[in-house]
Amino acid sequence: MAEDERKIPLEALQQHAHMMMEGVPWANHLGFRVTRVESGRAFATAPWREDLVGDPETGVIHGGVITALLDNICGVSIATRLSEVRAMATLDLRIDYMRPATRGEDIIGEAECYHVTRSVAFTHAWAYHGSRERMIATASGAFALNDPRRWAPGSGGLSAVARELEKKE
Amino acid sequence: MSRSETLLEFLARVPFAQTLGFRCDIRGDEMTAILPGDDKLIGNVGIRAIHGGAMGAFLELTAMSQVFLVTQLQRPPRPIDLTIDYLRSGRGGEDVYARASLVKLGSRMATVRAEAWQTEKAKPVAALRAQFLVAAAEASP
């Protein structure tokens, strides 16, 4: 995609990055927040919260929280490479758990969308504390890009920013 | 305590299982997991589809619970890796069911498959394949 074909400028995505998960109920419920986007890359945080703990003895966050974070941040990284709003659906996701998350520490999710075709987008993602030196999990996922006339896009990602821009016009 | 009682007692103490709304029906060594329909689990508001992360978490908890049910582990088995295939979009607000089976239970690792469905078991919405560490979890302090 040539940059000039983009209907929503990257600067607008960067300015409104925090909105890209607010309209996604499950991401919002878990307290996820998009912190930064670049072209083909996105970052978000997941808070350490008592209600997200998967092991009551150790206070380690449940793997399912990390799955949700990485799945969603992959979607956001794809959105940074799309020229227009598309309906997106996860086709598959592979997660490797390196080590348990530490009690009391927030988790950073980072995703890279490294290839996009007309119908599919490919991503890699990482979950860590602080920096990639303290990796918790890695992921790779493929996502279907569906025709928005047949599949309604959600209210997160590009849609959230598009709506915000319309409001201002 | 029977294994099913041990599992239920453990799940009741897992905060994230409560957050998700995870429930299960155990008959002997067979378990059907239930994820009650709830709007908070939605990922795409436009088509009211369940979030892929909620579906993944449900399948992971189902797989973990099945391993816990059929072994004598005192601590929850730790996932090493997992792959989730999203086969159909999950309808938000409606219950999801899942069952898991152990493909292989070794002395250190367990390989597990799980499938989730809504109204028809023959039309799964998602499938999981996961590896769990079953030995080190016992040895860890």
Side-chain angles (χ1 to χ4, degrees), chain A residues 42-125:
Chain A
F43 299 82
T45 53
W48 185 89
R49 271 186 0 207
E50 190 74 53
D51 65 327
L52 306 183
V53 165
D55 185 339
E57 261 70 55
T58 59
V60 168
I61 293 287
H62 195 274
V65 177
I66 293 165
T67 304
L69 176 69
L70 296 183
D71 176 56
N72 214 143
I73 198 63
C74 282
V76 174
S77 76
I78 296 165
T80 68
R81 290 193 52 170
L82 298 179
S83 57
E84 58 191 336
V85 173
R86 296 283 297 272
M88 213 182 286
T90 317
L91 284 172
D92 62 32
L93 194 65
R94 149 101 186 198
I95 314 248
D96 293 310
Y97 292 108
M98 317 282 110
R99 68 169 69 84
T102 305
R103 178 202 285 262
E105 281 193 61
D106 292 355
I107 297 167
I108 298 172
E110 173 183 347
E112 179 190 0
C113 171
Y114 62 93
H115 190 70
V116 183
T117 72
R118 267 191 303 180
S119 51
V120 182
F122 299 91
T123 58
H124 284 143

Side-chain angles (χ1 to χ4, degrees), chain B residues 37-48:
Chain B
D38 192 319
D39 283 357
K40 73 182 177 189
L41 303 172
I42 286 174
N44 181 328
V45 176
I47 56 170
R48 285 182 58 75

Side-chain angles (χ1 to χ4, degrees), chain A residues 53-57, chain B residues 6-18 74-75:
Chain A
V53 165
D55 185 339
E57 261 70 55
Chain B
T6 307
L7 173 60
L8 291 172
E9 189 272 333
F10 173 74
L11 286 171
R13 291 191 296 116
V14 176
F16 185 67
Q18 313 305 317
Q74 296 306 307
R75 307 270 300 120

